[in-house]
Amino acid sequence: MILDNLSRALKTQNWLAAGVEFVIVIAGVVIGFQINAWNEGRQERQLEAEYLYRLEVELTAVIEDLNDAQRAIDAYFNWIGLFLEGVEAGDRDQAQAGSWGLNAITDVEMINLEPASLREMISAGDLTIIQNRDLRSDLASIPQLQSRSQASLQQMAADLTPVAFEISRQFEARLEDVADLSAGGYDQHTIQFDFDAVSQNEVFLNRVNYAALQNRFQAAHFVRYRSEIEAIRERVRSEIEIRGFR
């Protein structure tokens, strides 16, 4: 209708009417673009909010995994400390009470630091949806954190593999204790060893001491990476609050 009016005005050289119709056409196009841009912007903000919610939840889960891992390796260290103190003091009962540490002190806990929602964002090319440039940079750094963390833990596990073999040669496990875990599983007597032979084996005790040291390096590793992930999660929470998404 508008185009018909504009065509008719041009044919009759009614320049005023033609100008009015032309302005109406341009205004309609501009308004259409603005509506489309508003809809696209609204959809992007909705998607951004959904990603931020998921990131908060999943980063919290990563932190909980790191906490669980540290609690586990702290327990291993406490056991082996009890064992070593018992050996040094000539206390068989104390050494036996910490004997499970012989089985666990060389364990390395592998934790994935990268949330699934972040992998999804990067794969879909949606990371730019996060408007806060500093937060976007923080999120983009997580895959590098994951890569460095895994490389460090894998190297630690490789270093401890021969140590675990040497330690395992000095004890045997009562497998009947762990055959039915529903019945309670292992206890402090599950790991059996020759106290006299172990207490006089300096090479073996040095291996155990080395494994305990690596355990503390692993604990420090988790403290460091938990701190970095916690800082990023707090920035995500802050962005949710500032943008009024909650």
Side-chain angles (χ1 to χ4, degrees):
M1 180 68 178
I2 293 176
L3 292 178
D4 289 341
N5 291 340
L6 178 59
S7 177
R8 195 161 41 250
L10 290 173
K11 288 179 180 178
T12 60
Q13 295 186 350
N14 186 343
W15 305 120
L16 177 60
V20 170
E21 296 295 340
F22 183 74
V23 168
I24 292 174
V25 170
I26 296 300
V29 172
V30 170
I31 291 172
F33 278 132
Q34 288 178 335
I35 291 174
N36 286 337
W38 179 82
N39 281 331
E40 289 176 1
R42 182 176 60 83
Q43 291 171 359
E44 285 190 357
R45 298 294 72 75
Q46 182 178 352
L47 184 58
E48 180 185 17
E50 291 173 358
Y51 273 133
L52 289 173
Y53 287 140
R54 291 176 58 192
L55 284 166
E56 181 186 15
V57 171
E58 292 172 15
L59 288 171
T60 298
V62 170
I63 293 167
E64 291 173 353
D65 287 344
L66 289 166
N67 288 335
D68 289 343
Q70 183 160 5
R71 278 191 290 269
I73 63 172
D74 284 348
Y76 306 158
F77 183 77
N78 291 337
W79 278 326
I80 210 64
L82 194 62
F83 170 81
L84 290 172
E85 289 172 5
V87 169
E88 184 177 358
D91 187 333
R92 296 171 183 268
D93 291 337
Q94 182 176 351
Q96 187 65 57
S99 62
W100 188 256
L102 294 171
N103 177 63
I105 194 61
T106 55
D107 283 2
V108 176
E109 303 287 333
M110 297 292 181
I111 303 299
N112 183 14
L113 305 179
E114 190 174 359
S117 55
L118 179 60
R119 291 196 299 272
E120 180 182 319
M121 290 176 69
I122 293 173
S123 176
D126 285 340
L127 191 57
T128 54
I129 284 177
I130 304 300
Q131 287 194 353
N132 186 312
R133 184 172 59 185
D134 292 336
L135 177 56
R136 192 164 63 239
S137 177
D138 288 337
L139 293 172
S141 73
I142 291 180
Q144 286 75 33
L145 291 179
Q146 166 67 8
S147 179
R148 290 199 302 269
S149 173
Q150 287 298 102
S152 177
L153 292 173
Q154 287 170 357
Q155 182 61 56
M156 188 178 297
D159 292 342
L160 285 169
T161 297
V163 179
F165 174 73
E166 289 296 326
I167 293 176
S168 69
R169 295 175 62 187
Q170 302 300 323
F171 71 83
E172 61 181 32
R174 297 192 316 197
L175 295 181
E176 61 270 22
D177 289 1
V178 292
D180 182 8
L181 294 179
S182 65
Y186 65 87
D187 60 27
Q188 67 180 31
H189 297 288
T190 299
I191 301 298
Q192 297 290 306
F193 60 94
D194 185 330
F195 180 85
D196 292 329
V198 163
S199 61
Q200 296 171 22
N201 189 334
E202 289 296 327
V203 173
F204 167 73
L205 293 176
N206 285 338
R207 294 284 192 275
V208 173
N209 186 274
Y210 172 79
L213 178 62
Q214 294 301 308
N215 175 282
R216 292 300 83 196
F217 290 157
Q218 190 179 171
H221 176 98
F222 290 138
V223 168
R224 171 193 170 191
Y225 282 93
R226 182 175 62 236
S227 176
E228 295 197 45
I229 294 297
E230 283 177 338
I232 295 174
R233 182 191 61 179
E234 291 311 306
R235 293 183 191 115
V236 169
R237 285 178 170 174
S238 176
E239 186 70 8
I240 291 173
E241 296 295 337
I242 290 172
R243 299 287 299 285
F245 289 151
R246 195 175 328 263

